[in-house]
Amino acid sequence: MSDLDHEEDLAKTKLDRRMANRMVSLLLPVLPRVIFVILVELILVCSVIARPWFLREVIDHGLVPHGHGWTLDVPIVLYAMIGLTAVWIVRFGLGGLGQYLSGTISLLVLKDLRLRVFSHVQALSVRYFDRTKAGRIIARADRDVDSLEPAVINGPPEFLGMLLRTVGAGWLLYITSAHLFWLVFPLFPALALAMAIFQKAGSRVWSHVAEAKSRVTAHLCETISGVRVIQQQGHEAKNLENYRHLLLQLDHTSIHGSWAWGWFGPYSSLLFIIGMSLLTVKGGIELTSGQITAGQLAQALFYITIFLGPLQELGDLYEKLATAAAAAQRIFLLLDTPIEISDVQDAMTLKTANGTIEFDHVTFSYDKASPVVIHDLQLLIPAGQVLAIVGSTGHGKSTLVQLLTRFYEPQTGKITLDGHDINSLTQESLRRQVAVVLQDNILFSGTILDNLRLAKPQAEDGELISAIEALGADEVLTRLPAGYKTLVGAGGSNLSHGQRQLVCLVRAYLADPRVLVLDEATSSVDVHTEQRLQKALRHLCIGRTAIIIAHRLATIRDADRIVVIEHGRLIEDGTHAALLAAHGKYSALYQANENEQG
Ligand SMILES: Nc1ncnc2c1ncn2[C@@H]1O[C@H](COP(=O)(O)OP(=O)(O)O)[C@@H](O)[C@H]1O
Ligand SMILES: [Mg+2]
């Protein structure tokens, strides 16, 4: 499946090829500046097409035949020189102003677009990230926006300037000599025809090139985030080969593109040369027969250069616009991707919950095509209960947590918090009430204290440190090189797994949620640390509903209640003692665990 097909599928909409409207809509917020740029461009064009007129004045009236030579009509030449100088000054000043204005327009437009893309990506549901490679998203949010830049900065004024120069010079050429105008006019239909043909080939080619580039980026991102595994498995050579293959594909599509497009430049140059030749020959004939003056011919030659000049710039500009259109398509598709899980219209903000949770006949699968993970699950957790969920790996325990925090929605049944369907609450208030500590958590760059402050932005250092001490995490964390001020590397890589875990537990403690979920949260700290944490965790659970998923069963023995999940179904429910006595799945798991711990 190609990149664009994949995106179309995710966005559940076909690619809208009427890009121009949406590109123009990006310019709406800076409309006054755009109008100003157009005015500046108009004056610039007037200054360009005024020059040939001065030239003709000098040739026809400034040079006066005198005997065998010429004399200068000084006032006329002076007046033409002053005129030309004025025109140059205007051009110089306005040219700079125009560049400055269009530069600021593009910065504003692209900054807005970047922010829109970023906030949309951030809001997209986790399912989108399950299905899309990080590199593809980065390629869109970053490089595709960059590819719009040449088109947004130079594109519109260049195009406008070209159009105005062609129309203005064409009109003046017509006035100067109508039959010379009609002589070169057929070049324009010839150009339009070529443009139509190249346009068809071009738009497809540029979107293939953009796609090939985004595959290269995606592979790079995946390699960087998985570099340990790649090195561990000695997979470097094969991985390099895959990268080479992607680069070859990129080369291939780019070469194909340049090959098709390469003809446009020479073709339009050819039209230009034909136009100039026709005019020179015909003009020469008319000059000798006295139909036009030398000044008029010079003026006409100037106009024709201005008139046909755009032919040569067009190829370049066209390529910029085509690349930009391909990039814009990809960005708009990303922006069109619906946010699957969003707050309902009159979503309720739950201030403080009691913490009663109910899974009411919940059935869920991650995808239509994939197997059902949770089967008609019925589970009521009263407020304040400490509930342990046990079961073998892959049987749906973490999925229950994902559903409770509404990262995914069940296909049937509902989940309630204090009797409110969680779909009727704002996601923000739901997630504020339900804090989750996972087995492997990401820390952000900054110090340990900065990371803790995410849970409580206004907290003083002292408050954060008391929380660390309250959970008994101080002994481990103070041993870090710079104590609590230790800088956390990318993703938390310079901390041990256990240290990262401790930081996340303290963070959850600071957030003071009504419902606390620990999904294998202490699985990666050593038994000694875990035992010390137990006391703190018990302290952490007081006064709130707690759901603890653990595979070291010794740690959940004192839970108020234990449920066993198998193949997404609840198969046992009771206290530690009751379940042991029942000699069922729990008892078997517990025995196996005991033997393992020795
Ligand atoms: N994001 C996901 N997309 C698709 N399938 C998933 C996803 N996460 C988990 N699964 C599947 O759901 C099943 C249950 O996984 P999980 O709830 O993580 O199990 P547990 O936490 O009990 O080990 C597994 O078969 C797993 O392959
Ligand atoms: Mg799990």
Side-chain angles (χ1 to χ4, degrees):
M1 197 194 234
S2 87
D3 216 19
L4 279 181
D5 294 339
H6 176 80
E7 286 293 316
E8 279 184 352
D9 189 37
L10 286 172
K12 296 190 181 70
T13 150
K14 279 285 157 204
L15 188 59
D16 183 2
R17 296 201 181 273
R18 281 165 299 140
M19 279 301 121
N21 285 350
R22 298 185 73 172
M23 298 268 272
V24 169
S25 78
L26 291 178
L27 291 176
L28 280 185
V30 284
L31 198 59
R33 275 176 206 241
V34 173
I35 292 175
F36 204 77
V37 168
I38 293 177
L39 286 178
V40 167
E41 204 58 44
L42 259 175
I43 301 174
L44 276 177
V45 169
C46 290
S47 78
V48 171
I49 57 185
R51 279 179 301 169
W53 189 79
F54 289 108
L55 185 75
R56 193 204 62 195
E57 283 297 290
V58 172
I59 295 177
D60 282 355
H61 305 292
L63 297 170
V64 186
H66 185 80
H68 292 294
W70 303 86
T71 54
L72 276 184
D73 185 334
V74 178
I76 287 188
V77 174
L78 260 182
Y79 138 80
M81 268 173 63
I82 292 169
L84 275 176
T85 313
V87 165
W88 267 111
I89 290 172
V90 168
R91 241 177 99 66
F92 184 75
L94 287 184
L97 185 65
Q99 281 290 328
Y100 166 77
L101 280 175
S102 49
T104 56
I105 288 176
S106 92
L107 288 180
L108 290 173
V109 167
L110 294 182
K111 188 188 76 212
D112 279 357
L113 188 62
R114 270 183 221 285
L115 286 174
R116 253 170 77 187
V117 171
F118 186 88
S119 77
H120 190 74
V121 166
Q122 200 176 233
L124 279 169
S125 313
V126 285
R127 197 191 297 277
Y128 179 81
F129 299 95
D130 287 347
R131 294 183 56 191
T132 315
K133 290 184 184 171
R136 281 179 169 177
I137 305 172
I138 291 169
R140 272 181 185 55
D142 198 42
R143 227 217 352 256
D144 284 344
V145 179
D146 282 343
S147 343
L148 284 184
E149 187 167 330
V152 180
I153 294 192
N154 302 320
E158 251 177 51
F159 182 72
L160 186 74
M162 262 164 54
L163 199 71
L164 293 176
R165 269 179 288 152
T166 303
V167 171
W171 178 63
L172 287 171
L173 179 64
Y174 183 79
I175 292 180
T176 315
S177 166
H179 48 275
L180 287 183
F181 172 82
W182 288 119
L183 187 69
V184 293
F185 186 77
L187 295 177
F188 279 83
L191 178 73
L193 184 71
M195 272 172 73
I197 294 169
F198 279 100
Q199 150 85 42
K200 229 174 150 52
S203 72
R204 216 51 209 161
V205 164
W206 296 124
S207 67
H208 285 316
V209 171
E211 180 169 326
K213 279 186 188 162
S214 104
R215 289 199 174 156
V216 170
T217 312
H219 189 76
L220 190 63
C221 288
E222 211 159 65
T223 300
I224 291 167
S225 57
V227 73
R228 276 163 219 259
V229 178
I230 292 169
Q231 290 181 355
Q232 183 75 49
Q233 313 247 322
H235 199 59
E236 295 97 323
K238 179 79 182 70
N239 198 43
L240 179 64
E241 202 40 54
N242 291 346
Y243 192 60
R244 192 197 310 279
H245 181 69
L246 290 173
L247 287 177
L248 273 177
Q249 275 184 340
L250 173 60
D251 284 356
H252 187 76
T253 40
S254 306
I255 290 170
H256 181 71
S258 328
W259 178 244
W261 263 87
W263 297 108
F264 189 77
Y267 177 78
S268 55
S269 297
L270 184 69
L271 289 184
F272 179 77
I273 290 165
I274 293 175
M276 290 301 278
S277 317
L278 281 176
L279 196 85
T280 321
V281 173
K282 180 86 167 112
I285 295 170
E286 291 193 355
L287 181 65
T288 48
S289 67
Q291 275 171 282
I292 52 171
T293 65
Q296 271 176 327
L297 179 59
Q299 190 184 11
L301 275 174
F302 248 98
Y303 284 141
I304 199 99
T305 322
I306 301 171
F307 182 49
L308 295 181
L311 286 183
Q312 292 185 308
E313 298 163 28
L314 207 57
D316 196 32
L317 180 67
Y318 210 46
E319 184 173 332
K320 270 186 210 160
L321 289 179
T323 312
Q329 279 174 355
R330 298 152 58 79
I331 294 169
F332 288 135
L333 265 183
L334 175 59
L335 287 175
D336 285 348
T337 307
I339 296 170
E340 269 178 59
I341 296 179
S342 50
D343 290 351
V344 290
Q345 195 122 61
D346 45 358
M348 195 178 120
T349 304
L350 195 60
K351 281 272 178 318
T352 35
N354 289 321
T356 306
I357 295 165
E358 184 172 15
F359 286 82
D360 186 7
H361 295 286
V362 170
T363 297
F364 173 75
S365 64
Y366 278 94
D367 240 311
K368 277 193 209 82
S370 57
V372 175
V373 178
I374 302 294
H375 292 269
D376 193 30
L377 188 114
Q378 179 72 27
L379 175 64
L380 174 70
I381 311 167
Q385 187 170 71
V386 176
L387 173 84
I389 302 180
V390 301
S392 312
T393 304
H395 282 245
K397 302 181 301 294
S398 301
T399 303
L400 286 179
V401 178
Q402 307 261 29
L403 292 172
L404 175 61
T405 43
R406 211 177 155 214
F407 281 121
Y408 299 87
E409 286 176 346
Q411 275 81 20
T412 57
K414 65 172 196 251
I415 301 167
T416 60
L417 174 59
D418 284 7
H420 306 289
D421 188 334
I422 58 169
N423 293 1
S424 70
L425 303 176
T426 62
Q427 292 173 77
E428 207 241 329
S429 72
L430 170 68
R431 291 177 192 151
R432 192 172 291 255
Q433 305 294 326
V434 182
V436 180
V437 181
L438 300 172
Q439 181 168 20
D440 197 3
N441 293 283
I442 301 281
L443 298 183
F444 292 96
S445 38
T447 64
I448 303 271
L449 291 181
D450 292 338
N451 269 282
L452 291 179
R453 208 168 270 117
L454 278 183
K456 204 167 187 184
Q458 273 87 37
E460 301 280 329
D461 285 2
E463 194 180 345
L464 301 177
I465 293 169
S466 328
I468 296 174
E469 287 164 356
L471 277 198
D474 47 333
E475 198 189 311
V476 176
L477 295 182
T478 44
R479 254 187 273 126
L480 288 168
Y484 302 140
K485 301 261 189 235
T486 304
L487 282 172
V488 173
S493 55
N494 58 345
L495 262 59
S496 81
H497 212 129
Q499 288 162 339
R500 275 206 300 273
Q501 231 33 44
L502 285 175
V503 174
C504 294
L505 286 172
V506 181
R507 198 156 71 186
Y509 177 65
L510 279 162
D512 192 24
R514 303 318 305 151
V515 179
L516 177 71
V517 182
L518 306 174
D519 186 356
E520 314 261 13
T522 57
S523 304
S524 45
V525 297
D526 60 276
V527 177
H528 169 72
T529 313
E530 188 176 37
Q531 276 163 1
R532 285 195 310 111
L533 270 177
Q534 280 305 309
K535 224 174 89 198
L537 285 179
R538 231 164 277 141
H539 179 61
L540 191 56
C541 294
I542 294 170
R544 47 187 131 233
T545 312
I547 298 175
I548 302 172
I549 299 172
H551 65 252
R552 259 185 232 144
L553 299 186
T555 59
I556 49 123
R557 227 173 2 209
D558 332 310
D560 298 333
R561 179 183 171 198
I562 297 169
V563 294
V564 182
I565 301 284
E566 192 171 67
H567 296 301
R569 291 190 170 87
L570 198 158
I571 57 163
E572 285 175 32
D573 184 348
T575 60
H576 174 71
L579 290 183
L580 269 192
H583 293 294
K585 181 82 184 173
Y586 177 77
S587 148
L589 282 172
Y590 189 75
Q591 290 309 330
N593 235 266
E594 286 284 273
N595 296 339
E596 199 180 292
Q597 306 285 315

